[in-house]
Amino acid sequence: MDPQLLTTFVTVARHGSFSAAATELGYTQSAISQQIAALEADLGLALLSRRPVAPTPAGVRLLEHAEALLLRLRAARADVLRAAAPPRNRLRLAATPLAVNPVLAARLARARAREPRLELTLSTCPAEQVLAEVAAGRAELGLADGITAPSDPLRLPEAGLMTTTGVSQEDLVVVLPPDHPLAARTALRLGDLADARWLDTPLCPPSRLRDLVGDGFPAGLRYQGDDVHTLGTLVAAGHGLTLLPASATPRGVHGVALAEPRLAHRVELIHGTLPAGAAADLASALAG
């Protein structure tokens, strides 16, 4: 299958529109239609229904493979270019919003002190985008975080010859309003809070808590941002509870240790093949 045709198919499916895909990819709508027809002819299957534009059952199955295949192709291209590129002192680090905790911030500071000419740009984005940025070569290094059982790796999409290394792990706390009846406890069981309302956030969606414990955990307000101070304000006002790394607990709320189940906030370093130079040195510093 032609990667360009796959890219067009994924874009049309994401937008649900041939014209929107044409605008994004810089083609005419007719060219988009021809590319989809060519892919369908190659497979001998209809991949998209036209009114409305939506994946057929075969198209849904292809989507499950297409994005991973395209990610691996971008990763392969970036890996080859990195191997041929001369070392440089200008690096880009993509990170999820809570990945750069105090431990990793201190390691970054020590690395920059050892290499004062290093120009480092840090950008934040969701975990899937961190992986995509590194795979495509738009960032040399990535940091992704999430909730896992202690020492378990994060569940990230497979992207070929990418290295992922655990670089930080810390305890999670239940974030409660200061006047909450359980705020004075030294530790809490997550199951005891199954009837409480929970903020629906990217780090701690109620669906993830149900996967871990079982039924319950009704969603309160949905917050799609990444500012912990806003999270603290929402919790303090009674919009719902959340889980946060202990070091990220904002002022104005209480963070109570999570006793059961055993969970941790884990940060992983992501990169492709790194030739000797500033990127490899920074990766080593972040790994501790």
Side-chain angles (χ1 to χ4, degrees):
M1 287 179 285
D2 187 325
Q4 181 57 56
L5 301 184
L6 278 179
T7 298
T8 299
F9 168 67
V10 169
T11 307
V12 173
R14 172 160 45 84
H15 285 291
S17 166
F18 281 72
S19 60
T23 299
E24 178 177 327
L25 297 175
Y27 293 112
T28 64
Q29 186 170 336
S30 174
I32 293 292
S33 297
Q34 291 172 9
Q35 291 180 39
I36 295 298
L39 183 59
E40 291 178 326
D42 179 32
L43 293 173
L45 294 166
L47 300 172
L48 292 167
S49 59
R50 277 17 182 209
R51 295 183 181 177
V53 176
T56 64
V60 170
R61 205 61 179 270
L62 181 59
L63 278 174
E64 294 173 358
H65 297 282
E67 294 189 356
L69 288 170
L70 292 172
L71 181 62
R72 290 204 63 169
L73 285 171
R74 290 192 294 270
R77 182 179 188 276
D79 194 51
V80 171
L81 293 175
R82 273 193 299 267
R88 61 183 192 173
N89 289 327
R90 182 176 298 169
L91 299 179
R92 294 153 298 179
L93 174 62
T96 47
L98 291 179
V100 185
N101 56 36
V103 170
L104 293 179
R107 291 178 188 172
L108 274 175
R110 289 194 293 270
R112 297 188 69 211
R114 290 193 295 269
E115 184 53 69
R117 296 176 58 191
L118 177 63
E119 297 180 27
L120 181 63
T121 299
L122 171 66
S123 59
T124 59
C125 51
E128 295 80 5
Q129 187 62 28
V130 168
L131 185 63
E133 291 292 300
V134 176
R138 294 186 292 268
E140 285 76 23
L141 303 171
L143 290 170
D145 76 297
I147 296 173
T148 70
S151 301
D152 277 2
L154 299 179
R155 295 183 293 183
L156 296 172
E158 198 278 327
L161 297 176
M162 302 287 286
T163 298
T164 58
T165 306
V167 294
S168 176
Q169 184 170 292
E170 68 174 303
D171 293 336
L172 288 161
V173 296
V174 182
V175 183
L176 304 162
D179 58 352
H180 194 282
L182 301 177
R185 295 278 188 91
T186 58
L188 290 168
R189 295 172 62 252
L190 196 56
D192 292 339
L193 297 167
D195 294 331
R197 286 189 303 171
W198 288 77
L199 291 176
D200 191 349
T201 71
L203 175 67
C204 181
S207 59
R208 174 72 171 134
L209 302 181
R210 294 185 202 109
D211 291 341
L212 294 165
V213 178
D215 293 338
F217 304 98
L221 182 145
R222 176 175 295 175
Y223 175 58
Q224 294 299 305
D226 52 40
D227 182 73
V228 294
H229 301 292
T230 300
L231 273 174
T233 299
L234 294 172
V235 171
H239 290 286
L241 311 183
T242 194
L243 295 178
L244 281 176
S247 65
T249 306
R251 295 181 180 181
V253 292
H254 279 274
V256 180
L258 183 63
E260 186 184 330
R262 294 190 61 209
L263 298 173
H265 178 256
R266 178 178 172 89
V267 180
E268 292 185 357
L269 175 67
I270 304 167
H271 60 81
T273 302
L274 296 176
D281 293 343
L282 182 58
S284 178
L286 288 171

